[in-house]
Amino acid sequence: AVFYCTISFIQIYKENLMDLLQPGVNRCQIREDTTHGLWITDATAIPVATADDCLRLMAIGDKNRVVASTRQNIESSRSHSVFIVSIAKQNVLDRSESVSQLYLVDLAGSESVDKTGSEGQRLEEAKYINTSLLALRNVIRALVQGTPHVPYRDSKITRLLQNSFGGNSKTFLIVCCSPAAYNQRETVS
């Protein structure tokens, strides 16, 4: 068997997928079929051999993320980012292939417009951020409650992470939230 590893890094900015490793590609799409499952069209997939290669690409992509200053954060992420590590195993005898993926997701935090002072473009971004986080909450709630319909298609982030919520996937969530009473409402929601 032959193994190979590739890295892709995208951001979801105002419900548009953008390639962070090739900044000119601003309209990546999520596609699905029975052979390949979910994938992102036009996303760069760069072969890597070491952890240092991965970290270098993460740093490059991170510099291309949309950030802006708000009252609460001088460098506020205005997008969700997804760093995708794909590991493929190819059988040299029959050319069959199996692929595993690791998604490292950095979600933009929910925003209280009153606290951030967002207006204009920042306000528009905040609406998209909060709407997509609500969609993620609704997907998790539907899965926990065992409802027959799970609203994966309500947001690009939930659609992209759909495979991470079922099948033989393992999903871990690390939450960084403010312990301040001032931020309790956003933290709890």
Side-chain angles (χ1 to χ4, degrees):
V2 176
F3 292 87
Y4 56 95
C5 182
T6 60
I7 297 295
S8 299
F9 199 7
I10 59 114
Q11 72 178 338
I12 302 171
Y13 175 68
K14 295 180 8 179
E15 285 298 294
N16 293 303
L17 274 70
M18 305 160 98
D19 191 330
L20 289 171
L21 298 177
Q22 190 178 19
V25 178
N26 294 329
R27 296 291 178 190
C28 299
Q29 299 291 320
I30 300 170
R31 296 285 184 244
E32 181 178 21
D33 67 29
T34 54
T35 306
H36 302 99
L38 286 172
W39 80 93
I40 305 167
T41 64
D42 299 320
T44 305
I46 298 176
V48 293
T50 67
D52 285 341
D53 293 343
C54 296
L55 293 173
R56 181 180 53 78
L57 292 172
M58 188 178 279
I60 289 169
D62 197 49
K63 288 179 186 172
N64 293 322
R65 272 188 85 179
V66 177
V67 296
S69 181
T70 68
R71 267 195 244 152
Q72 285 196 298
N73 191 346
I74 197 157
E75 282 193 23
S76 176
S77 300
R78 311 313 295 162
S79 67
H80 307 305
S81 70
V82 184
F83 186 80
I84 305 167
V85 181
S86 299
I87 301 171
K89 173 186 166 186
Q90 186 175 53
N91 184 317
V92 292
L93 299 176
D94 66 6
R95 310 293 289 167
S96 64
E97 183 176 271
S98 62
V99 178
S100 294
Q101 292 185 310
L102 172 67
Y103 284 33
L104 301 174
V105 181
D106 180 16
L107 297 171
S110 67
E111 296 204 3
S112 168
V113 176
D114 294 341
K115 291 180 185 177
T116 61
S118 295
E119 44 188 42
Q121 181 69 16
R122 300 294 85 79
L123 178 60
E124 187 73 13
E125 293 163 346
K127 289 177 188 177
Y128 279 99
I129 290 167
N130 290 340
T131 300
S132 64
L133 292 173
L134 178 63
L136 180 59
R137 182 189 77 179
N138 291 342
V139 163
I140 293 169
R141 179 176 287 160
L143 289 168
V144 168
Q145 293 175 348
T147 60
H149 171 72
V150 179
Y152 292 114
R153 293 179 183 262
D154 287 358
S155 172
K156 293 281 179 23
I157 192 70
T158 54
R159 181 74 172 123
L160 183 60
L161 296 177
Q162 181 174 343
N163 290 345
S164 300
F165 292 120
N168 63 357
S169 297
K170 303 287 185 213
T171 303
F172 298 93
L173 179 65
I174 300 171
V175 178
C176 298
C177 58
S178 172
Y182 175 73
N183 295 316
Q184 181 180 7
R185 191 170 137 239
E186 288 85 17
T187 300
V188 172
S189 73

